[in-house]
Amino acid sequence: MDIVGNVLPQVLKDEATEDKGEMARLQSFVGAIAVADLVKTTLGPKGMDKILKPTGPGQEMTHITVTNDGATILKSMYVENPAAKILIEISKTQDEEVGDGTTTVAVLAGELLREGEKLIQKRIHPQHVIAGWRIARDVALKRLRDISTENDIESQEFHNDLIKIARTTLSSKLITTDRDYFADLCVKAVLRLKGSSNLDYIQIIKLPGGTIRDSYLDDGFILKKQITIGCKRRIENAKILVANTAMDYDKIKIYGTKVKVNSMDKVAEIEAAEKEKMKHKVDKILKFQPTIFINRQLIYNYPEQLLADSGITVIEHADFEGMERVAAATGAEILSTFDAPERRDQVLGHCDLIEEIMIGEEKMIKFTGCKKNEACTIVLRGSSIHILDEVDRSIHDVLCVLITTVKNRRVVWGGGNSEMQMAAACEEEAKKVQGKQALAIEAYARALRQIPTIICDNGGYDSAELIQNFKVELQKGNLSYGLNMNDGTVGDMKELGIKECMRVKEQAVMAASEAAELIMRVDDIVKCAPRKRERA
């Protein structure tokens, strides 16, 4: 009631709810911190895996997922807490931007909010906390850029950096025992792109069977299809026409239409007209003078026979993703009409050799010496589809990080070195700042230091002792030191060859800071009334 005793008007609907002030902020903190705590045990080279199992009627036999990839875990979660959804979204963004650091960004945002909650309890206004965090973020990013190094992209040092970054990224994955082999494989694949960031040129094929070490990099593009019966199995100096057009008109297909005929001769005339129409389309295709024809859709027997009789090798029903890759690798255009044969040189793809090969027990088509020679294929082998899926995710993360490194070229030492140095820079800055913002800057430094602390805890080591020893080494001037998780000590990252992409760290710090600021500003949560179905 107001001061004159009148009843205040109801703004929200009957079933709508509203949480204000401390209650709203508490809900946001709890949801976001819960998500961060869920994935933080997967952080680092000794992180644990999670099993993601779908539930519900009819899903008991659905394919399960075993992974420690933060983005995969968070994308599979269904949460109602809005703050938790924000953390899931920034993890997705991190995965799309740089491919790695998805767990780091969620954990760092959670730790920032944990520290922010302590400051709120001390009656420090959220705006003071946010102002301090912004100062700390700028100082941390400046220190990160100052400690990063850059080599010429053509130098052997840069190639060595790529190998080290790939090994470091793979150290937290399932294939950590074979990280040297896969690091070299991924670097060779990325260097074939010659500076391009188009991952379509790198095809990844998963084939159950054998062991993980049986995986290999194939020089060329492999299409998971077979050449049509009656066509050549080996074509040299191929001219490739890639199309997405209907080639199944040789049978009568009249949907929802009634046709009355008074004899079978009339039916034969309809069939003849359809065949003539298809022959006319095939004649148009032949004017392009290809040696191999790849179509997205089915090709029925009649046009297939016409093309084969003309000496053209036919591949039908190619999946759309495979077609896009073939077109990109061979320099072809995907056509749906064939009215401009004079553009033959622009629309046809070129390849030195196309042949049918056997991988495991499956027949596939291999394109070697493509016009755009950046194309290659990584063939993954493994004992089960669950292992292959996780290896695929690991290889994809490494490829994304390597491409980001080739574009950015700046690298930093791994093993928690960059987080500790950024935390030290924030603590130095806090000594120069007056007022409550200094407390927020110190809280930001503690949140950054939690990343190496969690890495130690996940490895079963004494994090308090290791982090203190780490701080002492940095204070002595050993700026290349970091956590050696193989034996639980503080070691020289230069000797161990542990490096990371600076862009991954930079994106994680910026995204985590923005998400934490967004959640920190919340002081009201309004839940709308559920929509009711009106009965007819």
Side-chain angles (χ1 to χ4, degrees):
M1 300 179 66
D2 60 14
I3 55 174
V4 295
N6 296 324
V7 178
L8 290 174
Q10 183 176 353
V11 177
L12 304 176
K13 284 189 176 182
D14 291 339
E15 297 182 32
T17 60
E18 182 180 19
D19 296 313
K20 292 185 175 182
E22 293 298 324
M23 183 59 68
R25 199 169 286 118
L26 179 62
Q27 283 191 34
S28 299
F29 288 161
V30 168
I33 292 172
V35 169
D37 288 344
L38 176 70
V39 296
K40 77 176 183 181
T41 55
T42 68
L43 187 64
K46 302 287 186 178
M48 307 298 285
D49 289 352
K50 308 286 185 188
I51 293 180
L52 308 176
K53 180 182 177 183
T55 59
Q59 294 186 335
E60 291 79 6
M61 300 301 293
T62 308
H63 179 59
I64 65 169
T65 303
V66 183
T67 183
N68 70 346
D69 180 59
T72 304
I73 295 168
L74 294 176
K75 279 190 289 188
S76 66
M77 293 173 57
Y78 177 77
V79 297
E80 293 187 356
N81 186 285
K85 287 183 179 180
I86 292 173
L87 257 63
I88 293 172
E89 287 300 320
I90 64 166
S91 181
K92 289 181 184 178
T93 304
Q94 179 81 7
D95 191 38
E96 293 166 0
E97 284 289 320
V98 291
D100 198 25
T102 54
T103 305
T104 301
V105 70
V107 171
L108 180 56
E111 293 301 326
L112 282 171
L113 291 172
R114 202 188 304 272
E115 294 294 333
E117 184 180 12
K118 296 175 183 176
L119 296 176
I120 296 294
Q121 291 173 352
K122 294 179 180 178
R123 299 297 177 185
I124 298 176
H125 195 276
Q127 291 296 347
H128 291 300
V129 176
I130 291 171
W133 281 356
R134 288 177 178 170
I135 295 172
R137 180 197 61 198
D138 294 340
V139 171
L141 290 176
K142 183 178 183 304
R143 174 62 63 90
L144 181 67
R145 297 182 183 112
D146 289 344
I147 64 176
S148 63
T149 57
E150 182 180 0
N151 288 313
D152 184 75
I153 197 168
E154 300 294 336
S155 66
Q156 183 61 37
E157 289 81 4
F158 185 72
H159 182 271
N160 294 338
D161 283 348
L162 291 178
I163 293 287
K164 292 173 182 176
I165 289 170
R167 291 179 72 253
T168 303
T169 305
L170 288 169
S171 65
S172 62
K173 309 295 183 184
L174 175 70
I175 49 180
T176 180
T177 52
D178 297 312
R179 61 179 178 270
D180 292 336
Y181 176 75
F182 281 99
D184 185 59
L185 183 147
C186 292
V187 169
K188 286 180 179 177
V190 168
L191 290 179
R192 286 180 64 89
L193 297 178
K194 299 174 183 176
S196 170
S197 59
N198 190 356
L199 271 177
D200 287 341
Y201 291 146
I202 303 177
Q203 166 86 324
I204 298 178
I205 294 178
K206 299 178 286 186
L207 293 176
T211 64
I212 293 176
R213 194 61 186 261
D214 293 332
S215 305
Y216 63 93
L217 176 68
D218 200 300
D219 181 16
F221 176 80
I222 295 177
L223 185 65
K224 293 182 70 174
K225 286 293 171 184
Q226 297 183 26
I227 294 174
T228 302
I229 296 173
C231 297
K232 295 179 182 178
R233 291 310 192 250
R234 179 183 173 90
I235 305 98
E236 296 182 357
N237 298 320
K239 297 178 181 178
I240 305 162
L241 180 61
V242 183
N244 183 11
T245 187
M247 300 290 286
D248 54 356
Y249 290 150
D250 59 318
K251 294 184 179 180
I252 298 175
K253 290 169 45 173
I254 305 173
Y255 298 113
T257 304
K258 292 182 180 180
V259 179
K260 291 183 179 181
V261 293
N262 53 17
S263 69
M264 290 302 296
D265 293 339
K266 298 295 183 181
V267 176
E269 289 178 12
I270 295 174
E271 290 182 343
E274 290 287 351
K275 281 192 174 183
E276 186 62 31
K277 184 178 179 182
M278 179 53 62
K279 187 177 185 305
H280 182 61
K281 178 180 279 191
V282 172
D283 290 340
K284 286 185 175 182
I285 293 173
L286 294 177
K287 289 181 181 179
F288 283 84
Q289 299 177 1
T291 56
I292 183 166
F293 178 68
I294 304 174
N295 193 31
R296 169 70 180 85
Q297 303 179 40
L298 287 173
I299 302 177
Y300 275 7
N301 294 339
Y302 180 64
E304 183 181 291
Q305 177 189 343
L306 293 175
L307 290 168
D309 290 345
S310 301
I312 297 175
T313 299
V314 179
I315 301 171
E316 65 171 343
H317 212 237
D319 61 280
F320 192 77
E321 184 180 351
M323 278 186 55
E324 291 280 347
R325 293 178 189 273
V326 168
T330 61
E333 290 184 20
I334 300 176
L335 300 182
S336 57
T337 59
F338 311 96
D339 298 323
E342 66 276 2
R343 296 187 63 244
R344 179 174 58 249
D345 294 337
Q346 288 80 32
V347 301
L348 289 181
H350 297 275
C351 183
D352 292 340
L353 176 64
I354 298 176
E355 58 184 338
E356 198 170 68
I357 61 173
M358 287 284 292
I359 301 178
E361 298 179 355
E362 293 190 41
K363 286 184 179 181
M364 299 186 185
I365 304 167
K366 180 179 177 182
F367 297 74
T368 307
C370 297
K371 181 179 180 181
K372 296 184 177 179
N373 206 31
E374 296 93 345
C376 61
T377 300
I378 298 175
V379 180
L380 299 179
R381 308 301 306 275
S383 58
S384 74
I385 192 66
H386 306 100
I387 292 175
L388 285 174
D389 287 343
E390 182 64 4
V391 174
D392 182 17
R393 284 188 287 267
S394 303
I395 294 296
H396 179 267
D397 285 356
V398 177
L399 293 175
C400 290
V401 171
L402 291 175
I403 287 174
T404 303
T405 307
V406 170
K407 290 166 61 178
N408 185 263
R409 291 194 292 176
R410 303 197 72 86
V411 299
V412 294
W413 299 115
N417 178 280
S418 54
E419 286 84 0
M420 291 293 288
Q421 294 217 44
M422 286 190 288
C426 291
E427 288 181 338
E428 293 170 7
E429 182 67 21
K431 298 174 182 177
K432 308 173 186 176
V433 176
Q434 295 181 348
K436 297 176 181 179
Q437 294 179 5
L439 298 176
I441 298 172
E442 291 174 352
Y444 198 97
R446 288 194 297 271
L448 284 169
R449 195 170 285 121
Q450 277 298 108
I451 299 297
T453 302
I454 293 169
I455 293 174
C456 293
D457 291 336
N458 290 345
Y461 301 120
D462 186 349
S463 58
E465 180 180 356
L466 279 177
I467 297 302
Q468 180 58 32
N469 294 342
F470 198 166
K471 291 168 67 176
V472 171
E473 292 295 342
L474 292 178
Q475 192 65 32
K476 289 180 180 178
N478 297 322
L479 301 181
S480 63
Y481 271 52
L483 296 173
N484 179 1
M485 295 305 294
N486 292 325
D487 52 13
T489 60
V490 178
D492 191 348
M493 299 294 100
K494 187 183 295 185
E495 295 177 2
L496 296 172
I498 299 176
K499 285 191 173 183
E500 293 180 286
C501 175
M502 188 272 285
R503 180 75 184 100
V504 174
K505 297 290 185 183
E506 183 181 53
Q507 178 67 26
V509 171
M510 289 193 296
S513 298
E514 290 171 1
E517 287 180 19
L518 184 63
I519 296 170
M520 180 65 72
R521 297 169 70 97
V522 172
D523 70 342
D524 200 342
I525 298 177
V526 179
K527 293 182 181 179
C528 299
R531 182 180 178 183
K532 295 182 179 180
R533 294 179 179 269
E534 295 183 1
R535 294 182 179 179

